[in-house]
Amino acid sequence: MISFTQGTKPRLLIVGPPGAGKGTQAAKLASDFGIPAIATGDIFRHNIRTGTELGTQVKAIVDAGDYVPDSLTNELVASRLAEEDALEGFLLDGYPRTLNQVAYLTDLLAARGQSLDGVIQLVADTDEVVSRLRKRAVEQGRMDDSEEAIRHRQDVFARETAPLVAAYRDKGLLVEVDGIGEIDEVEGRITAALAAHGIQRPGAVTTV
């Protein structure tokens, strides 16, 4: 049972394959709900740029060409979610990426008496997305970004996110939305899908 009233802000995740317009929709959702859009890449860059202790650790790992381990990623995300603007609501993009991170986030929020309200999955036809990304690569002169390379990234994304999507579907949190179409059209679908899930923009009152 989800009940949102005026002043309540949701805690959301957004997932979608490269080229599905996830970043654009994340920014719109954040603006609509008055919550910060938090991308793990931005968290990493901010900590590295400002020279925090965690940032120093991340920089050393990235410079060595290694993956940032779950434990460090979790710490960085926990630190960001503890900031004032994210205490009551947020939109996470790019985290969690593993089932261990899913469990960590669940426990982190539970310790604050909170939980996720919804996980938006932008669903997009692979051929359509590949065509879109290939066209963009040609327009930007990135000729080395071949169709094969683009398809490989799509395959990796699908393989890595499948367990997460399944986990959140089992929890009843998944909100699937067709991500192909004009920006405003997709935004409208997301808004409608969230409303059907009991999540409306601030000022509206709904109970599901």
Side-chain angles (χ1 to χ4, degrees), residues 3-11 32-35 87-89 200-206:
S3 179
F4 279 84
T5 57
Q6 186 170 4
T8 300
K9 297 180 178 182
R11 290 172 289 276
D32 288 345
F33 285 99
I35 54 179
L87 291 178
E88 298 303 323
Q200 293 194 15
R201 297 179 184 181
V205 178
T206 185

Side-chain angles (χ1 to χ4, degrees), residues 24-136:
T24 299
Q25 294 301 331
K28 285 181 167 291
L29 280 166
S31 177
D32 288 345
F33 285 99
I35 54 179
I38 302 172
T40 49
D42 292 339
I43 298 175
F44 290 171
R45 285 187 288 272
H46 173 75
N47 278 270
I48 291 172
R49 186 173 62 252
T50 56
T52 66
E53 182 180 344
L54 291 174
T56 300
Q57 295 178 52
V58 170
K59 187 175 188 304
I61 292 169
V62 172
D63 287 349
D66 295 326
Y67 288 107
V68 179
D70 281 0
S71 57
L72 184 51
T73 301
N74 289 339
E75 283 189 71
L76 286 161
V77 171
S79 176
R80 179 64 183 89
L81 294 183
E83 294 181 25
E84 186 174 356
D85 67 334
L87 291 178
E88 298 303 323
F90 55 78
L91 174 65
L92 277 172
D93 175 4
Y95 179 94
R97 286 186 180 276
T98 67
L99 290 178
N100 284 338
Q101 290 178 1
V102 169
Y104 179 87
L105 180 62
T106 299
D107 292 343
L108 177 69
L109 294 177
R112 291 175 11 182
Q114 299 174 340
S115 62
L116 285 176
D117 298 307
V119 177
I120 303 154
Q121 181 190 18
L122 292 182
V123 180
D125 178 74
T126 300
D127 289 339
E128 178 76 22
V129 173
V130 169
S131 176
R132 178 189 297 181
L133 290 177
R134 182 60 186 147
K135 180 181 178 182
R136 183 187 305 171

